[in-house]
Amino acid sequence: MWCRRTTTWSWWRLRRLCQIMCQRSSSSRYSPLPWQGLFDEDKMIAIPDSEDIFHVYLAGTEGPVVFCLHGGGYTGLSFSLIAGKMKEKVRVVAMDMRGHGLSKTSDNTDLSAETQCQDVLNVISEMYGREPPALILIGHSMGGAIAVRVAAKRALPTLAGLVVIDVVEGTAMASLVHMQRILANRQLHFPSVQKAIEWSVRGGGSLQNVESARISVPSTLKFDTDMKCYVWRTALEESEAHWRGWYEDLSEVFLSCPVPKLLLLAGTDRLDRALTIGQMQGKFQMIVVRHTGHAIQEDEPDEFAGVMLNFIARNRIGTSGVEIPGLRQPVSLRSLN
């Protein structure tokens, strides 16, 4: 009897030890990672004559500026891994959009397309003045819609390229009727940051790359002192009034932008009729990235960075403009636009 109890007790202790080790391993696997070393620094950009202060991450010191706009609910850290891979050849700037990350504005709930477009123009103007270097706008999801509308304004004389990540009008408009249900079904409360990261890659979130999630997800959370848990920093469900304005007529606006354009998709089923015709006519470059989720820049950073650098080289985009072999000075983008 004594031997039997000892054996049972030893088995229980071994099982408990295994559980503890698994929990520690899981906690370590999903623990947050710093963005330092990928981005070089971050800054707060105060907009004159307003209460708005926008948080930006910066990487690199030479080359054209790749200006990145994240999707709804994400932050500028969504572009961390690609910044680390591209900063030797270009400058990468990733902005926390209004109501996201560490940016603070007089109205964090005004996520209308027009307001966000003006935010982007204000930040670029404050950072670079009236003569910014050559710019390539990159936008993911909501940020893609804003990037398209900024480009269409033709208010950036040095805009040299436009890259849109996994958003097209047809699919986006069709999904709007389901968005509130989708948002309501996601997990809203987390006992720790690690659990939020784990949920983002395993429990129904939109990320597949654990490393990227460990960097980007913590910036999308805040600690609720009343509930004693972590919650999402941005209440996307409260922005419904602006959703249609992000995506309506997006395809035609995209096709009208007078700069080289690249559309990155996770699947060809996302193309609508206008884009299908435009792609057949050669009005933009399209690349489908296989085996990825919605956040292509996070899930496949190596492929994404390679595609981006190839796009820049293919269109001969240098620090000051389009570089043509044989000419000492780049062609002014102002004259091309």
Side-chain angles (χ1 to χ4, degrees):
M1 180 65 71
W2 179 83
C3 291
R4 183 177 180 183
R5 287 181 178 176
T6 301
T7 302
T8 302
W9 176 249
S10 299
W11 178 84
W12 182 88
R13 290 184 63 185
L14 180 61
R15 179 182 178 185
R16 179 57 181 158
L17 180 61
C18 289
Q19 290 175 338
I20 293 173
M21 291 177 65
C22 287
Q23 289 173 354
R24 289 179 178 175
S25 176
S26 177
S27 177
S28 175
R29 174 174 169 78
Y30 299 108
S31 60
L33 290 174
W35 55 263
Q36 290 84 353
L38 299 169
F39 286 108
D40 299 328
E41 60 177 327
D42 64 331
K43 291 182 178 180
M44 300 299 293
I45 307 298
I47 305 304
D49 303 320
S50 77
E51 301 175 15
D52 301 344
I53 303 176
F54 290 95
H55 184 234
V56 299
Y57 300 92
L58 303 99
T61 58
E62 299 180 354
V65 172
V66 176
F67 200 93
C68 305
L69 307 179
H70 61 76
Y74 297 78
T75 72
L77 291 182
S78 178
F79 297 93
S80 294
L81 293 185
I82 68 143
K85 297 178 184 300
M86 295 173 59
K87 66 181 182 180
E88 297 301 320
K89 296 185 177 181
V90 299
R91 286 172 280 179
V92 181
V93 178
M95 167 182 171
D96 284 346
M97 305 288 278
R98 174 180 294 255
H100 294 75
L102 299 180
S103 292
K104 304 294 182 184
T105 69
S106 58
D107 185 359
N108 285 335
T109 64
D110 182 7
L111 298 184
S112 66
E114 185 60 35
T115 296
Q116 292 195 80
C117 284
Q118 192 59 53
D119 290 341
V120 174
L121 294 173
N122 288 343
V123 169
I124 292 174
S125 175
E126 194 60 24
M127 290 182 68
Y128 301 109
R130 295 184 177 181
E131 292 294 333
L135 293 162
I136 299 101
L137 277 179
I138 296 182
H140 169 233
S141 196
M142 176 196 76
I146 302 305
V148 168
R149 298 187 188 283
V150 170
K153 286 179 175 293
R154 307 192 184 197
L156 295 172
T158 59
L159 184 63
L162 173 64
V163 179
V164 176
I165 307 170
D166 208 44
V167 59
V168 297
E169 178 186 347
T171 304
M173 294 295 288
S175 67
L176 291 185
V177 295
H178 308 293
M179 280 305 300
Q180 283 292 1
R181 177 177 55 81
I182 293 171
L183 292 173
N185 287 337
R186 67 176 181 165
Q187 187 169 334
L188 301 178
H189 309 98
F190 303 94
S192 66
V193 175
Q194 288 89 338
K195 287 297 182 183
I197 295 171
E198 183 175 3
W199 178 86
S200 295
V201 294
R202 295 186 60 189
S206 60
L207 301 179
Q208 297 181 5
N209 187 322
V210 176
E211 181 185 7
S212 186
R214 292 171 68 186
I215 300 168
S216 66
V217 171
S219 64
T220 68
L221 303 167
K222 63 181 180 180
F223 187 74
D224 190 302
T225 54
D226 294 329
M227 293 188 288
K228 307 298 182 185
C229 65
Y230 289 89
V231 298
W232 300 114
R233 184 178 293 272
T234 304
L236 287 176
E237 64 278 4
E238 297 177 6
S239 64
E240 183 176 9
H242 306 300
W243 294 348
R244 181 169 292 274
W246 297 346
Y247 305 121
E248 203 163 39
D249 300 323
L250 186 63
S251 293
E252 293 298 338
V253 177
F254 173 73
L255 293 171
S256 72
C257 293
V259 292
K261 297 178 284 293
L262 170 62
L263 179 62
L264 285 169
L265 297 175
T268 54
D269 59 310
R270 289 164 169 79
L271 275 188
D272 55 29
R273 184 173 183 272
L275 289 182
T276 299
I277 295 173
Q279 200 271 331
M280 293 174 63
Q281 293 174 338
K283 293 184 177 180
F284 64 94
Q285 181 185 2
M286 184 184 75
I287 294 177
V288 178
V289 181
R290 306 291 181 182
H291 313 297
T292 184
H294 179 47
I296 298 172
Q297 75 280 8
E298 296 208 46
D299 292 343
E300 295 292 341
D302 289 310
E303 185 169 355
F304 184 94
V307 166
M308 273 303 307
L309 293 175
N310 181 65
F311 174 78
I312 293 169
R314 176 183 179 182
N315 291 287
R316 297 174 179 171
I317 303 171
T319 302
S320 302
V322 178
E323 297 179 341
I324 298 178
L327 293 182
R328 292 186 177 181
Q329 297 295 327
V331 175
S332 170
L333 291 167
R334 189 186 300 272
S335 63
L336 292 177
N337 292 342

